[in-house]
Amino acid sequence: MSGLKAAARIKPVIVLKVGRHDAGAAASMSHTGALVGSDATFSAALSRSGVIRVETVSEMFSAAKCLSSRYRPSPAMSFTPTSSMNNLLDHKQMPIPELTPISPAALMRTCSTPTYQGGRLAIITNGGGPGVMAADKATDLNIDLAEFTECTYAALNKVLPNVWSHGNPVDVIGEAPPSRYRDAIDICLSDPGVDGAVVILTPQAMTNPEGVAEAVVELASQHQKPIITSWMGGTQVESGRVLFRQAKIPTCRTLESAVEAFGFIATYHKNQQLLLQTPAQSSRQHDPPDVDGARMIIESALAEKRSVLTEPEAYAVLGAFRIPAVRNGVARSATEALIIAESIGLSSTKPVAMKILSHDISHKSDAGGVRLNITDAESVRSNYRELIDTVKKTCPEASIEGVTVEAMFKSSSGRELLVGLTRDPVFGPILSFGSGGTSVEIMKDSALALPPLNRHLAIDLIERTKVSKMLFKFRNMPPANREALLDVLLRVSSMACELPWIQEMDINPLIVDENGATAVDARIRVDYPKLTSGPYEHLAIHPYPANRCEHAQLPNGINITIRPIRPEDIDLKKAFVRELSEEAIRHLRLTPEMLVRLTQIDYHTELALIAVAQIDNIEVELGLARYVASPDKRSCEFLLVVSNRWQGQGLGHRLMRQLMDIARDRGYERMEGEVLRGNTKMLKLLESLNFQILDMENEDDIKLAQIQLHGKSSRSFERRSV
C-alpha cells in the first residue's frame, strides 16, 4: 500500500483486480501462490490509497479517459514559487507553472484545470426516455441526483418551454436549439447543490449536434464543475464528438457510459479525500483508554491457554477503552445469581438477562443458553438451574463455569447495530459496521474500513450502510445519537491500533438511541501477535505518530513544538519555502513540488518532522527534517532544512537528533544523505552529530554523509566512497 499511495498522490491510479468472487479468488491464488485478502477488504484498502477500482477492461479504459480529461481532480498541491526559486529552477531548465494557492480546506488542489467537488448529478437531455435511463443508471451506481433550489427552478422556467420535465433529469424538449441547451446547463451548474452534469443529445429533425457541442465547449470554460457528454448516434453527431475531444471534455457514445464516467470522477475525488486522512492511534484524548489494563486481561486469558475471552472479560476490555456496556456479573450458584441481579436493580421495570458462561460455547442462543426479561427473584433462581440443565443436554462436552447475569437494556427507539474487528491475512485488522442482532448473516448490511479512523472516516463508514438511514428520525422514533456512535467507532479503532492480540471482536448488538450507545453483547478472540519492529506494524496504514510530538525552548526564549507533519500543513509549507534563500535552494537541490509533497507522506516508510512556533499569534514553520526508507528497508535517507532567520539556535541539531532517534526506534540501521561540497554549514552540523563525511565516486561536488544508528561498522558501505 505504501507504493500505491505514493503513486496516487502524483497521478490517477486505476486498479482492475481479478478474483472478485470465491471461485475466481481460488483460481487466482492457485496461479500466483499469493494471498490477496478478501475482496471487500481489498476494496476498502484501495479506497484509503486514493485510487479507483474498476471491474472490467472497458471500465478501465473509460476511467482512464475521463481522469485524463480537464476535470481530473489533481492530487498535487498548488504552490506559487518565489521569483528567486523561479530563477534558479529556470537556470536548471525546470520550469514551474504559475499556480494560484487555494485554501487547504478545499482538499482537492488543482494546477490550471477545473476542480471537481462532489457527487450530486444533474442530467440535461432533449429526450425523456434517455434521461430516465440515465437516472436509473445513476441510481444503480449510488450516484445522487441533485435536488434543485427554488431559484434554479424559477430560472429554468424562464428559458424552457412550459412542457419541460420540471425536475431532474431536465428535459429541454427534442428540438432544443444550442441556446436552450446552453441556458439550461448554465443554470444547473450554477446551483450550489449540483456538482456536475451529464448532457445527452439525441439527434432529431431540428437538432444541431455540432452547434450544441460548441455551446457546451464554451460553457465548460466558464464552470469548474464537470460536464460529461453523450451524443447518441453515428455520423450525424460525430463532428460534435470531435469538438469535445479537442476541448478535453469527456464524451461517451452511450448514456450509461457517461453516467459511469461521472461516477469515476466522483469516486476518485472521494478516495483522494480519504488518502488525505491521517488519524492518530487514538482520537479521544480527553478520556484516554487504559491500554495496560486491557492488555493484562488479554494476557491472563492467553496464559490460561484460552483464545476466547469470557463475556465479563470482554466487557472489561470494552470498559478499558471507555465503551459503555451493560452492568454484569458472574454467578456460580443460584444464590449468587440472585445477589448479582438485586445489586443491578432487579425489578419489573429493570429486568435482567442470564447467559451461560462456557469457553466451549461461542453462540449461546443456539445452545439454549440465554434467558431474557427476568423480573423477579424466584425467576432468577429457577432460570439459573434451567440454563445449566439445558446446556448440559445440548452441549454435553462443554465445560460450564457459571452464568452471566446482566442488566437488560430496553429502549423503544433503540437501533440494533454491529461493530466488529477481524484480522485479514494481508491487510491486518479490519473494522466492520452494519446492522446488528440475530439476523446479521441474512441482512448482509455492513461496510469495512482499515483502522485507524478519524471522524471523517467514521462518518464515511456509517454512510456506506443501509442501516445509516435508520439513524435519522424514523416514524415515531427520535434520531439516534450519532455522536455516541462515532465515539464507539473511534474507540474500537483505537483498540485495533493498541491491541494487536485481538483477532476477532463482535459487539452485537450495540444499541444506539437518542441517549447514547451501549454494548449489550460482546465476543473477543485473541492470540499472541507476531513479533514486529514497531508498535503499529500490524496495521496496513500507520497512524499519525502523535507520540512523537515534543516541546522545547530555543536559546532566544521562543517556545517551539517539534511534531510529525500533517496534510493540512500545506499553508505552513508554502510560507516556509517562500522564505528560503537562493543558497539554501541551491545547496539542497530542492524544487517546490518536493517540499509541498512533504505534507503527503506514508508514516510507514517515511517521516517528516517540522518545528513550529507561535509568532504574533500565527503558527510559523521554522525547520524540517525528514527521512525516507531505502529499498533495502534497513537504511534511510535524510533531508534537513532550517529557515535562514532561525539558524544559529541549535534547531537543526535538535531536529536531526529527534529524527535519528525515531529511525533507530523503527529498526533502521543506517542513515545517510548527499550534501553539496560547498554546503559547509550542513557538513559541520552533521560532523557534530558523528556522521561520517565521505567522497562520492565520480561526484566531485557531492559528499556522502552517513551514520550507523546501531553502532555497526560502515566498511560494508565503503564501496560508494573513495
Side-chain angles (χ1 to χ4, degrees):
M1 285 186 63
S2 297
L4 192 61
K5 292 169 69 176
R9 292 187 179 103
I10 303 171
K11 293 184 178 181
V13 178
I14 303 166
V15 175
L16 174 60
K17 173 186 173 290
V18 299
R20 290 185 291 117
H21 305 294
D22 292 341
S28 174
M29 192 183 304
S30 65
H31 178 69
T32 63
L35 289 171
V36 294
S38 74
D39 193 71
T41 302
F42 189 86
S43 290
L46 291 183
S47 298
R48 287 293 298 274
S49 300
V51 309
I52 64 172
R53 179 182 178 182
V54 296
E55 296 184 355
T56 65
V57 174
S58 61
E59 285 184 359
M60 181 175 66
F61 283 104
S62 178
K65 180 169 67 174
C66 70
L67 290 180
S68 62
S69 71
R70 62 191 293 153
Y71 299 117
R72 171 177 67 84
S74 173
M77 298 294 187
S78 62
F79 178 77
T80 302
T82 60
S83 58
S84 62
M85 296 184 73
N86 270 329
N87 293 336
L88 281 169
L89 293 166
D90 286 342
H91 177 70
K92 296 182 180 182
Q93 298 182 344
M94 297 174 64
I96 300 177
E98 291 294 334
L99 307 179
T100 302
I102 302 174
S103 168
L107 291 180
M108 297 312 303
R109 313 280 174 165
T110 182
C111 291
S112 59
T113 56
T115 302
Y116 175 75
Q117 297 293 338
R120 298 162 296 182
L121 175 65
I123 300 171
I124 297 96
T125 176
N126 68 336
V132 175
M133 293 172 65
D136 286 342
K137 185 64 177 179
T139 303
D140 292 340
L141 298 175
N142 294 318
I143 296 173
D144 294 329
L145 292 182
E147 296 181 3
F148 299 143
T149 64
E150 292 300 323
C151 292
T152 298
Y153 279 114
L156 289 172
N157 286 333
K158 292 180 180 180
V159 300
L160 298 180
N162 292 334
V163 293
W164 80 279
S165 57
H166 293 86
N168 187 12
V170 177
D171 186 353
V172 297
I173 310 305
E175 81 286 354
S179 59
R180 189 187 299 171
Y181 259 103
R182 179 174 54 249
D183 291 342
I185 299 170
D186 190 23
I187 292 169
C188 289
L189 291 180
S190 299
D191 190 311
V194 174
D195 296 312
V198 166
V199 181
I200 303 169
L201 182 142
T202 60
Q204 301 181 28
M206 301 297 291
T207 55
N208 180 358
E210 185 172 345
V212 176
E214 290 174 348
V216 172
V217 171
E218 179 185 351
L219 264 180
S221 62
Q222 302 173 18
H223 289 276
Q224 290 190 335
K225 298 175 182 179
I227 302 174
I228 317 296
T229 63
S230 177
W231 264 217
M232 302 176 67
T235 305
Q236 187 177 353
V237 299
E238 184 58 34
S239 60
R241 294 195 188 109
V242 172
L243 291 175
F244 293 138
R245 286 193 288 268
Q246 291 173 347
K248 291 190 175 181
I249 296 174
T251 183
C252 306
R253 291 183 177 272
T254 66
L255 58 89
E256 292 87 358
S257 296
V259 177
E260 284 180 352
F262 181 84
F264 291 138
I265 296 176
T267 301
Y268 182 75
H269 170 262
K270 176 184 176 182
N271 292 351
Q272 282 286 308
Q273 287 184 313
L274 297 181
L275 176 64
L276 292 175
Q277 305 304 311
T278 55
Q281 66 272 24
S282 177
S283 299
R284 288 294 183 262
Q285 300 299 329
H286 65 276
D287 191 8
D290 181 7
V291 178
D292 288 338
R295 175 181 55 79
M296 291 177 185
I297 294 170
I298 293 172
E299 289 181 340
S300 295
L302 291 173
E304 297 174 7
K305 302 188 182 304
R306 292 189 287 114
S307 61
V308 178
L309 301 187
T310 64
E311 195 166 357
E313 288 172 335
Y315 283 142
V317 172
L318 296 183
F321 279 79
R322 315 303 184 232
I323 297 174
V326 293
R327 292 183 60 188
N328 67 91
V330 177
R332 290 177 171 79
S333 70
T335 301
E336 283 187 8
L338 179 57
I339 293 171
I340 295 171
E342 293 293 352
S343 67
I344 290 174
L346 178 69
S347 69
S348 59
T349 58
K350 292 185 178 180
V352 297
M354 301 177 68
K355 304 175 184 178
I356 202 71
L357 178 61
S358 172
H359 303 309
D360 303 318
I361 301 175
S362 298
H363 300 287
K364 297 175 283 292
S365 297
D366 296 344
V370 178
R371 297 290 186 274
L372 305 176
N373 292 310
I374 302 170
T375 58
D376 58 80
E378 184 178 339
S379 297
V380 170
R381 300 180 71 169
S382 60
N383 273 286
Y384 180 91
R385 291 188 293 271
E386 289 177 9
L387 274 174
I388 299 295
D389 294 340
T390 300
V391 173
K392 283 183 177 179
K393 292 178 181 178
T394 57
C395 301
E397 303 297 327
S399 173
I400 300 174
E401 298 185 21
V403 171
T404 301
V405 182
E406 62 188 44
M408 279 285 294
F409 186 89
K410 281 195 168 185
S411 174
S412 59
S413 58
R415 285 78 158 175
E416 289 193 348
L417 307 175
L418 177 145
V419 177
L421 285 175
T422 57
R423 180 64 65 95
D424 186 86
V426 175
F427 295 101
I430 306 296
L431 197 149
S432 61
F433 168 79
S435 300
T438 57
S439 57
V440 170
E441 291 82 2
I442 298 174
M443 298 297 293
K444 294 184 177 179
D445 174 32
S446 64
L448 304 179
L450 273 65
L453 301 183
N454 58 13
R455 183 181 175 84
H456 179 98
L457 295 170
I459 292 174
D460 174 72
L461 177 64
I462 294 171
E463 292 180 347
R464 284 189 279 123
T465 63
K466 296 177 182 178
V467 77
S468 63
K469 297 178 175 61
M470 291 286 293
L471 300 177
F472 297 100
K473 185 176 181 181
F474 179 71
R475 292 184 179 176
N476 63 334
M477 293 194 299
N481 190 330
R482 290 174 66 95
E483 289 300 319
L485 175 57
L486 287 172
D487 188 74
V488 170
L489 289 174
L490 293 175
R491 293 185 183 281
V492 171
S493 171
S494 297
M495 293 177 68
C497 295
E498 302 291 355
L499 301 177
W501 297 268
I502 294 180
Q503 305 298 307
E504 291 179 15
M505 183 181 77
D506 281 340
I507 303 176
N508 182 26
L510 174 75
I511 297 182
V512 182
D513 60 13
E514 69 275 16
N515 299 313
T518 303
V520 176
D521 199 357
R523 179 179 181 273
I524 300 177
R525 186 173 68 84
V526 296
D527 198 359
Y528 289 104
K530 295 180 180 179
L531 293 176
T532 60
S533 58
Y536 304 113
E537 294 295 323
H538 63 293
L539 300 173
I541 299 175
H542 270 227
Y544 176 78
N547 60 321
R548 295 298 186 176
C549 297
E550 292 188 3
H551 302 281
Q553 189 176 82
L554 297 179
N556 61 5
I558 297 294
N559 294 319
I560 66 170
T561 299
I562 298 178
R563 61 169 174 80
I565 203 166
R566 298 187 295 254
E568 55 266 33
D569 291 325
I570 181 64
D571 280 349
L572 279 178
K573 188 58 60 185
K574 291 176 186 175
F576 176 72
V577 175
R578 291 190 185 103
E579 290 190 357
L580 291 179
S581 66
E582 294 186 12
E583 181 184 15
I585 298 168
R586 184 182 297 108
H587 283 168
L588 295 165
R589 298 182 293 170
L590 296 174
T591 66
E593 291 83 357
M594 287 172 59
L595 280 178
V596 169
R597 286 173 187 164
L598 288 177
T599 63
Q600 290 290 297
I601 66 173
D602 185 342
Y603 299 110
H604 181 64
T605 58
E606 55 187 316
L607 187 73
L609 296 173
I610 60 172
V612 296
Q614 291 290 328
I615 308 297
D616 297 329
N617 295 321
I618 298 175
E619 190 176 39
V620 177
E621 181 178 347
L622 317 181
L624 169 136
R626 178 201 189 194
Y627 75 72
V628 179
S630 300
D632 61 9
K633 306 297 183 184
R634 297 170 53 201
S635 62
C636 57
E637 297 186 21
F638 74 89
L639 169 72
L640 175 64
V641 192
V642 177
S643 176
N644 282 18
R645 57 187 288 214
W646 296 100
Q647 293 181 9
Q649 299 289 324
L651 183 57
H653 194 281
R654 187 182 294 272
L655 281 167
M656 281 300 297
R657 278 289 185 193
Q658 188 168 337
L659 189 73
M660 290 163 60
D661 288 342
I662 295 173
R664 186 180 294 108
D665 291 344
R666 291 191 172 180
Y668 293 104
E669 299 175 4
R670 184 176 80 259
M671 179 179 284
E672 62 185 20
E674 297 177 1
V675 184
L676 288 178
R677 183 184 296 272
N679 193 353
T680 55
K681 291 182 180 179
M682 176 69 75
L683 293 173
K684 185 176 180 181
L685 169 65
L686 295 174
E687 285 180 335
S688 71
L689 291 167
N690 297 321
F691 275 78
Q692 290 181 287
I693 309 300
L694 307 171
D695 292 328
M696 294 285 292
E697 189 174 358
N698 300 323
E699 295 285 355
D700 294 337
D701 296 332
I702 300 176
K703 292 282 191 177
L704 174 68
Q706 69 175 26
I707 187 171
Q708 301 304 310
L709 298 174
H710 292 280
K712 295 183 179 179
S713 172
S714 62
R715 293 178 182 175
S716 59
F717 308 113
E718 290 179 354
R719 62 182 183 276
R720 294 185 55 186
S721 63
V722 294

